[in-house]
């Protein structure tokens, strides 16, 4: 392909320019935090178009609709309106669009419903109940997670039964019928003409794999250039779909992945770091470009992040650097209690706002678990500091919104059982749960949807007339949908169903709020209908009801976030990925919390926790504050934790320690306890050298066997993977043990809750 000179290339540094200009063959861009990843990705698409590639031959996959929209906007600034013809969107939205055209080839209707999490849970709950299984043992969330994991790993119900490891795991967890629930769940979704989020990937793979000569070849030919953003967040199934699209005879394998292995933090969602680590093996001719210059953060922050991530073994070698040499050292706060930690953070926010003229929206508090937000909320309220909790209840999860959407879903797809159940008696029309249960039973016996049951089976029920009235209502909505756009159908449904009249009759503040929410939904549908922006790969926008329902169902948390309000942001570290703030507080940096106690026995999980900490550090542009408390309430009990091991991995060159604030009088902390006096510098901790008394550092973690907490008694010798050999001095009535670890130089006596301690009892001569 002949390259031409384009002025936008002058905006890039050397390595960015090389990544943008290498247009043919497989390309891997390793993009460190704040290195201009989005610019490289968008300019690469623009450069393809300017070098003669048709925009509709380009497919760009992202993880949020917001990212795709921003990307198309940036491309448009370079190449003009042709950017609208680029296929850019999330994995789920792009594959849903393709399945809308091709789903009939794999046994689904093209107007299939997309089940959200609540819908999936409802179906699973119904199956568990019908099988007379104990819902406490067959926990709904656990079963759903199991099914999701199976789908993400391309394991169908038939293959699930054949997998000895999966079956043994279920037996061990007293859930041997999981495979039956999985099979019933798949069949129920198929009968309802519905796909859940995982199905949008699994069925896309099936579509390509089972139709190699028509469908797969069609999309391979169309998408000549494939680009994937945040590749480190892909799961096994997503990577397999990518391979289906790019691996074929005569292909140039024009696939470009952009990502950072050091920011792979979503294994709990099924993402695997192995995808990016093995990409060079799968594509031996790949050209690799490493974006190592950080434009976001100061040198102290960048240096600390490098120091931390270097402790990980599984990584692609790189060295992030910055020319921003100015800035403040990293602040460190140590407090006695989590309550005091909340006050200290609020105090420091006020100080930073006054000293550096920061706005609230330029400040974020990041924590490992959402439960930690409470103490920070309390103290921010006391100081009258406006804040928001990122990732709260989504607008589309509110009851009144889901009620009207259920009518619209049933209008688009009458087989949608979950929507049917939600509104068959809302507003109340005298159809009780007993009647619905009978309908469900008939549906199971005849393998029919609820709508098919009430339309074709003679129902012996007192509510028969009312049920038929409901059917006529849905039929009238479907007739309206054939002639009108999504907004007109929604207004008609809101009125004809009686929902608007019902909400109007509730004159309470809450009732009026629900009515306002419903009007806001109608406004959003109006905006959808009147918006002329083109969707990915579309020649003309689709204003149908099905398209609107798909659009809102596939929205991510970040797409729903409102901007513009001046609030301090409180969020989990996982949710912060991709964001940046002038000042960041990373709180709760204690062993058993960050890193999580669930990760301590698994080296791979510890590495992911370290990557999560790396993400937290690199969200900060100018000010970074790290804090921890010596004690906090967790699970209803006081726990005493040591500082996080990750603090040890930052050298003292980058840390400016803060002494404990004694705001409650001389020698007292804000909690009323005695202060620490002169604080110790927590940078550059030295790991203990292996000695006879420090057995833990000499042994292979695989040989370490955790003893039952109930068997640990006073006077016993125990082994801890971090602290080494210790002697149990006492165990109190709260099951908190005082243990003396002879190999620990600083505070050898530790108070540890045995429930979470992970100790191994050893013989005296060990």
């Amino acid at each position: 392909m002949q390259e031409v000179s384009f002025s936008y290339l002058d905006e890039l540094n050397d390595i960015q320019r090389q990544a943008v200009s290498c247009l043919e063959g497989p390309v891997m861009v390793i993009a460190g935090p704040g290195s201009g990843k989005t610019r490289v990705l968008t300019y690469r698409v623009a450069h393809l178009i300017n070098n003669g590639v048709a925009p509709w031959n380009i497919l760009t996959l992202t993880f949020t609709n917001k990212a795709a929209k921003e990307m198309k906007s940036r491309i448009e600034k370079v190449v003009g309106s042709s950017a609208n013809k680029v296929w850019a969107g999330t994995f789920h939205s792009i594959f849903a669009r393709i399945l809308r055209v091709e789903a009939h080839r794999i046994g689904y209707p093209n107007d299939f419903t997309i089940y959200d999490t609540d819908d999936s849970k409802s179906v699973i709950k119904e199956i568990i109940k019908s099988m007379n299984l104990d819902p406490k043992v067959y926990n709904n969330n656990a079963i759903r997670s199991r099914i999701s994991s199976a789908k993400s790993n391309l394991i169908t119900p038939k293959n699930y039964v054949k997998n000895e490891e999966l079956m043994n795991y279920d037996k061990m967890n007293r859930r041997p019928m999981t495979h039956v629930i999985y099979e019933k769940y798949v069949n129920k979704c198929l009968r309802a003409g519905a796909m859940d989020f995982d199905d949008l990937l699994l069925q896309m793979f099936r579509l390509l794999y089972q139709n190699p000569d028509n469908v797969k070849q069609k999309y391979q030919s169309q998408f000549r250039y494939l680009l994937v953003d945040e590749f480190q967040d892909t799961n096994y199934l997503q990577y397999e779909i990518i391979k289906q699209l790019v691996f074929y005879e005569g292909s140039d394998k024009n696939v470009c992945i952009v990502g950072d292995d050091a920011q792979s933090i979503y294994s709990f969602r099924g993402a695997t770091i192995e995808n990016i680590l093995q990409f060079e093996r799968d594509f031996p001719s790949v050209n690799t470009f490493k974006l190592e210059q950080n434009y976001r953060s100061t040198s102290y922050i960048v240096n600390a992040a490098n120091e931390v991530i270097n402790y990980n073994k599984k990584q692609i070698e790189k060295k992030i650097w910055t020319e921003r040499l100015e800035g403040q050292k990293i602040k460190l706060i140590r407090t006695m209690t989590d309550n005091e930690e909340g006050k200290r953070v609020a105090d420091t926010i006020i100080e930073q706002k006054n000293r550096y003229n920061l706005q609230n929206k330029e400040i974020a508090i990041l924590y490992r678990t959402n439960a930690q937000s409470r103490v920070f909320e309390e103290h921010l309220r006391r100081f009258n500091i406006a804040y928001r909790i990122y990732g709260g209840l989504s607008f589309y999860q509110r009851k009144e919104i889901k009620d009207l959407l259920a009518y619209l879903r049933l209008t688009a797809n009458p087989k949608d059982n979950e929507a049917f159940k939600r509104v068959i008696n809302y507003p109340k029309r005298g159809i009780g749960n007993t009647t619905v249960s009978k309908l469900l039973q008939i549906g199971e016996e005849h393998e029919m949807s609820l709508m098919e049951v009430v339309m074709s089976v003679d129902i012996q029920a007192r509510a028969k007339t009312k049920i038929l009235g409901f059917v006529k209502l849905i039929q009238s909505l479907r007739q309206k949908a054939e002639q009108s756009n999504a907004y007109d159908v929604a207004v008609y449904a809101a009125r004809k169903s009686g929902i608007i009249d019902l909400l109007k009759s509730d004159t309470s503040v809450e009732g009026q709020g629900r009515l306002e929410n419903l009007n806001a939904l109608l406004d959003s549908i109006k905006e959808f209908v009147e918006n002329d922006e083109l969707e990915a790969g579309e020649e003309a926008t689709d204003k149908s009801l099905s398209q609107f329902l798909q659009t809102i169902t596939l929205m991510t948390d970040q797409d729903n976030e409102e901007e513009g309000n001046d609030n301090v942001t409180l969020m989990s570290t996982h949710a912060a990925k991709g964001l940046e703030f002038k000042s960041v507080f990373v709180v709760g940096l204690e062993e058993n919390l960050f890193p999580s106690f669930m990760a301590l026995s698994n080296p791979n999980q510890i590495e992911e926790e370290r990557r999560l900490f790396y993400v937290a550090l690199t969200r900060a542009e100018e000010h970074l504050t790290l804090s921890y408390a010596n004690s906090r309430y967790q699970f209803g009990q006081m726990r005493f934790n040591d500082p996080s091991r990750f603090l040890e991995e930052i050298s003292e060159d980058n840390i400016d320690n803060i002494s404990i604030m004694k705001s409650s009088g001389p020698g007292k902390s804000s909690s009323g306890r005695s202060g620490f006096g002169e604080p110790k510098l927590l940078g550059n901790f030295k790991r203990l050298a292996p000695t006879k008394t420090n057995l833990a550092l000499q042994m292979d973690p695989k040989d370490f066997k955790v003893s039952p907490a109930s068997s640990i008694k006073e006077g016993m010798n125990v082994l801890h993977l971090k602290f080494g050999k210790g002697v149990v001095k006492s165990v109190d009535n709260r099951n908190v043990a005082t243990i003396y670890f002879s190999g620990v130089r600083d505070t050898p006596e530790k108070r540890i809750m045995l429930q979470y301690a992970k100790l191994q009892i050893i013989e005296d001569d060990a």
Side-chain angles (χ1 to χ4, degrees), residues 343-359:
K343 182 182 185 306
R344 289 296 315 282
V345 168
D347 284 337
T348 309
I349 286 175
I350 291 175
E351 179 189 346
Q352 288 186 351
K353 288 180 65 177
N354 292 334
R355 180 176 294 185
Y356 304 111
N357 199 30
L358 295 180
Q359 298 181 63

Side-chain angles (χ1 to χ4, degrees), residues 360-384:
N360 287 334
K361 64 184 178 182
E362 296 174 320
I363 302 170
I365 300 173
L366 310 183
Y367 32 73
R368 179 62 182 82
T369 65
N370 287 314
Q372 291 170 256
S373 72
R374 180 188 57 81
V375 293
F376 301 102
E377 290 186 69
E378 287 178 3
H379 288 287
L380 291 174
R381 280 199 298 267
R382 287 177 191 173
F383 287 113
N384 201 27

Side-chain angles (χ1 to χ4, degrees), residues 699-708 711-712 716-721 724-726 728 739 741 757-763 766:
M699 69 182 299
D700 189 330
K702 293 178 183 176
D703 299 329
F704 183 79
K705 296 180 180 177
V706 178
S707 301
S711 64
I712 296 173
M716 286 184 170
N717 290 321
V718 293
L719 194 62
H720 188 278
L721 271 176
K725 183 179 178 182
V728 181
I739 306 175
F741 293 98
K758 295 189 183 294
L759 298 168
Q760 178 181 337
I761 298 171
I762 56 175
E763 299 298 328

